[in-house]
Every structure is written in structure tokens, then in C-alpha cells.
Amino acid sequence: MAKKTQDQPELKHVMSVAELRAARAVDAVVPAFVQWCKDTHGLSAEDAMNFLQPVKMLVLVYFDLTSSSSATDFEPEPFGRALGGLYEARDGVRGGDDAVVFAFGSAHLYVEFLGLTGAWTGTEEDYERIHALFHMDEDDAAAELDGPDLAPEEELASLEGTALASRLTVLLKWLGDGKDVTSTGLLRLKDLEAVAAAVGVRAKGGKPNAKRQQVHFFEEADLPTGEILTVRSMNELPELMKFWVSMQASGLINIGSTRVWPTAFTAEFLAPGHPGRLGILRDFVAKYLLVAVHGEADWDPWIADAAMVESELLFEAASGKSAGLEQLDELVNTGEPTQDTFVAGVVRSRLQGLSELGLLTMEPGIQVLPALKPAVAAVMQHALSLSDAEGDDDWEDMAGINYRGGPAPKPGRQTRLLQLKVMLKGSKPPVWRRLIVRSDMNLAQLHHIIQRAF
């Protein structure tokens, strides 16, 4: 265990009021903790005190999230967020990952001490949930939302009653026996107006025209009354792309080099009373939610932050706990005010979109359809797997879905990250964005990213 030396003067500083509160709360149990460490693990008093240093940091963050002043009684949700902060801050912690592992182990040791010595002053249920945080994996997260507790006919009626299912039905009926597609597997411009209308979007396809004012796809709500958004690719209609990718992932459509056609699953889904209808609809809803939450997380770290926050809010709501938009300020804390505002705005917009599709309600708090529990569990499970595989270019393969549109990269292909500086020509003051993008994306995908970044 590292000892303090005289060459570490940077550790000495004036303690803030918050730090003083956390230190005093932990100091109250120091004698008992030191003795327990000695009796149970054979640790010296110095080593035991070293373990308490990251615990004081953890308690400090917990106090900032709550009105508590006790270091022997924690609520699971804010404690989990405080614990998660240990990982989020690892790049700024001296010692990097090793220091984070030590801090996590210290917190685990402290929680065990509270439980085994009777020092815990909270409820037994809260202790069990907090202790489980140190052992939770993806399967544990999904198990908490086992369900739904509905009869098959109730689950089917619930899912069929959503606008998502209605729009899927209209879209599949429009598809008929099949339609022509481009070499990237997307519908042609001539069909965009009809297919967009099927999913509730006012848009049409059109070739580039320098004389026509270009309107960003995400400003559709600001268009003058009666005007239809004109796009140059299906990629510019994110709401439509979510349906398209989800239908392909759930096996409802097959896409060839020149044509898309429905599968046998589509015929079963469109047949009233077919016994396979529930399973098909359940799978599509799960794929759609996964795409809606994590579909863009691979190209923009801000979007990835929003996806993680949205996953947590949905999971809390599906667990039957209080979940509301007021929690956004607590969950969104990137350290950059402008980025926090953007992330919170993205989450609000996405949740509102899911609400319009009938998958959840927003007032008075976020409430998820009981039939959606398995889908929400899968979203949270995927969020955890992304955290574990951060920086892995192959994370998309874990879900078996190509989110970006167009052909997926070939297996084994080496993918690099490129840094671009994109500036608006002639802008005063200068308006620019620095982007980190994958080297294997096509121009349509790069166009989509630039539009979103500005």
C-alpha cells in the first residue's frame, strides 16, 4: 500500500465545507472500521485509513446528490450514480484505471463493513440493492425487469394499441410485394413522400438544387404551413430510418442489391389473429427501442451521453421507481455547460418522440408501458455492454444491427478515427465544429453528421 511522502505537497489544500461534512461523517466510523479491517483482513491501521480516502470522495459526491449527512445510510439510486462517477472521472484521476479500481474496491470494502458489523442504519432492502451494485452485470440488470406480468392477449392488445404498431402496419402494407432500392439499400427519391407519410413525416425526395433553400431535416416543425421538407436521401429522415433499420433487424424485410421485399413474418404480422403476431410485434418493438436510444451513439460522444441517460431514465421508470425529467440535471453532468444543455435537450426530444408513439407517458412522471419492460431491459443491457466495450469498433456486431444506414463495414476491416474541423464559409464570428468520425463511413453518413453537428 502506497505511503504518504514529503514529495506530495499538491495533496494539501484548504478543505471546503462539503468536504468537511463528508470527512466528519466518515471519521465517525473510523475506529470501528480500522479495528474490523485488522481483525477480518489483517490490515494495518495505515492501510485501513488509505482505503477510507476514496470512500470520503464517494460520500462527498453522494451528499452533493442528496440532502443526507450520514455515511452509514445510503439510498440506492443516488449512491449508484455516485459510484458510477468513479468510472466517469477515471481519466482525470491520477493513477488512471488502477486508481479507479482501488477506489471501487475501497467502496465495496466499506459497504461490507457497514453490513457485517451492524453499522448500517438504513433499511435492509436498501443495503441489499447497494451491495448488489458491486456485483451487477448485464444479466442482473435485465432480471430486475423480468416480465411483463401480463397475459399474452393483454400484452398483444397493449402493443397493438400504440402508434408505433399502427405506423408499422401502414408501412408494411405500403411496401406490398416490394419496392426498388438504391445500391446502399435505401428507398429511391420517388417513393420518399409516400413512405414518409406512412410514419407520420411530411417530406419528399428531391435532387440537389442550388436555388432552393436547404432546410435541415431536424427543423421540420419550423417549416411554413403547407410546405413539405425536401431531402436528398432517406438518410435525412431519422424517424423513417428507425423503422427501416428495425424492420430489417427483426426480419420483416429483406434488402437486396436493387429491391426490398417483405418476408413471411410480414404476412403473419398482417394476418389478423395469427398466433405469431405477438412474437413478431414484441421483437420489432424491442429492436425499435434499441435503435431509437442507441442508434447514433457510435459517431458522436454527446449523442452517446444522451443515450446512456435515456437508458437510465427508461430503466428507472420501468422498474416502477419515480422517474421524471427533473432528474436530467442530476444525470447529465459532463463538466461542460454547453454540452449538458445539448444532451438534456436530446433526451427530452427523444422521450417526447417515444411518447408520441404511445410507448410511454411523460406526465406527471415518466411511465413506461408494462408490455415494454423486456425491451427496456434489453436497452439497459446494451448500454452496459457499450460501457464495457468502449472504444471497440465492433460494438455494433454485438447487437447484430447496422445503425448507420448503408452497407456495414466488412469483417476484419481496419477502421481509423479521423478528426475534422468543419467551418461555415464567411461566417463572422467564425462558426466551426471539430468532429471525430470513422474512416469507413460514406459521404451520405458524413453529411448527416455535419448537419447534426451544426
Side-chain angles (χ1 to χ4, degrees):
M1 189 67 61
K3 297 182 179 180
K4 294 183 179 179
T5 63
Q6 294 182 352
D7 62 346
Q8 294 177 316
E10 70 276 14
L11 295 180
K12 299 179 181 179
H13 67 281
V14 178
M15 191 174 288
S16 68
V17 174
E19 289 174 315
L20 185 61
R21 287 177 57 233
R24 286 180 174 175
V26 175
D27 286 345
V29 297
V30 164
F33 180 78
V34 171
Q35 188 62 45
W36 179 77
C37 286
K38 178 181 178 181
D39 296 340
T40 307
H41 299 284
L43 298 175
S44 67
E46 183 179 15
D47 287 341
M49 292 301 295
N50 282 333
F51 277 116
L52 284 177
Q53 295 308 308
V55 172
K56 290 179 180 180
M57 296 170 53
L58 179 66
V59 172
L60 172 62
V61 176
Y62 178 83
F63 283 0
D64 286 339
L65 295 173
T66 67
S67 59
S68 175
S69 59
S70 171
T72 60
D73 177 11
F74 304 108
E75 296 177 11
E77 284 75 21
F79 184 88
R81 290 198 290 272
L83 190 64
L86 294 178
Y87 288 103
E88 295 171 3
R90 64 183 180 272
D91 293 334
V93 175
R94 187 167 55 181
D97 288 341
D98 289 341
V100 173
V101 171
F102 175 73
F104 189 84
S106 299
H108 190 188
L109 184 68
Y110 181 74
V111 169
E112 285 191 335
F113 153 74
L114 293 177
L116 294 176
T117 63
W120 174 260
T121 57
T123 66
E124 183 177 351
E125 179 183 359
D126 281 349
Y127 180 83
E128 291 299 328
R129 289 177 61 195
I130 287 175
H131 191 266
L133 291 174
F134 296 95
H135 306 282
M136 178 174 284
D137 57 21
E138 296 88 347
D139 293 334
D140 293 326
E144 287 193 14
L145 294 183
D146 225 3
D149 297 326
L150 300 172
E153 57 272 13
E154 293 176 320
E155 183 183 359
L156 178 60
S158 178
L159 293 177
E160 284 181 332
T162 64
L164 179 68
S166 298
R167 292 180 181 182
L168 173 64
T169 301
V170 173
L171 182 53
L172 289 175
K173 288 182 177 179
W174 171 86
L175 182 63
D177 295 331
K179 301 289 182 182
D180 294 334
V181 297
T182 66
S183 59
T184 59
L186 303 178
L187 291 168
R188 296 188 176 279
L189 293 181
K190 62 183 179 64
D191 291 323
L192 289 189
E193 185 170 3
V195 70
V199 296
V201 177
R202 293 187 303 120
K204 63 181 179 180
K207 294 182 178 180
N209 185 345
K211 296 181 179 180
R212 189 189 73 233
Q213 181 181 4
Q214 300 297 318
V215 182
H216 297 316
F217 64 83
F218 51 81
E219 294 177 344
E220 181 190 351
D222 300 327
L223 289 173
T225 302
E227 185 172 334
I228 298 179
L229 183 67
T230 301
V231 297
R232 292 169 289 178
S233 168
M234 184 177 169
N235 265 326
E236 296 182 21
L237 297 173
E239 295 306 317
L240 176 57
M241 285 301 299
K242 292 174 189 176
F243 275 88
W244 193 250
V245 174
S246 302
M247 288 192 301
Q248 186 178 9
S250 56
L252 287 167
I253 57 174
N254 284 327
I255 301 177
S257 58
T258 61
R259 193 165 178 81
V260 56
W261 63 93
T263 68
F265 289 134
T266 293
E268 293 179 5
F269 174 75
L270 294 178
H274 193 284
R277 183 174 171 84
L278 173 58
I280 295 170
L281 183 55
R282 181 192 291 153
D283 185 55
F284 172 79
V285 170
K287 294 295 194 306
Y288 182 90
L289 193 63
L290 188 62
V291 170
V293 176
H294 293 291
E296 296 169 323
D298 60 323
W299 59 260
D300 191 330
W302 290 14
I303 296 295
D305 289 338
M308 293 300 178
V309 172
E310 186 180 6
S311 297
E312 186 169 347
L313 282 173
L314 291 173
F315 190 77
E316 291 292 306
S319 300
K321 303 165 189 172
S322 176
L325 292 180
E326 65 276 3
Q327 290 182 247
L328 273 177
D329 293 335
E330 297 178 4
L331 294 175
V332 180
N333 185 16
T334 65
E336 174 58 48
T338 301
Q339 182 171 331
D340 287 352
T341 301
F342 177 84
V343 170
V346 170
V347 175
R348 287 190 180 91
S349 175
R350 287 181 166 196
L351 290 174
Q352 184 59 44
L354 295 178
S355 175
E356 292 172 358
L357 290 173
L359 302 182
L360 56 85
T361 56
M362 303 280 284
E363 298 295 340
I366 302 172
Q367 295 184 341
V368 175
L369 282 181
L372 211 65
K373 281 186 177 183
V376 172
V379 167
M380 190 63 184
Q381 188 172 356
H382 192 64
L384 292 170
S385 69
L386 290 183
S387 296
D388 291 340
E390 187 175 356
D392 186 350
D393 287 336
D394 296 328
W395 69 265
E396 290 180 17
D397 296 334
M398 294 186 293
I401 300 175
N402 174 29
Y403 294 110
R404 296 191 305 274
K410 296 179 180 179
R413 179 175 177 177
Q414 293 297 317
T415 302
R416 294 183 299 145
L417 294 179
L418 307 177
Q419 179 172 274
L420 307 178
K421 182 176 181 180
V422 185
M423 179 179 290
L424 294 182
K425 184 177 180 180
S427 60
K428 296 181 180 180
V431 177
W432 58 274
R433 298 288 186 270
R434 179 169 283 112
L435 309 174
I436 305 296
V437 299
R438 292 172 58 120
S439 62
D440 61 350
M441 63 173 51
N442 59 39
L443 289 178
Q445 294 158 356
L446 179 60
H447 166 75
H448 176 77
I449 292 173
I450 294 175
Q451 293 277 25
R452 290 298 296 265
F454 280 90

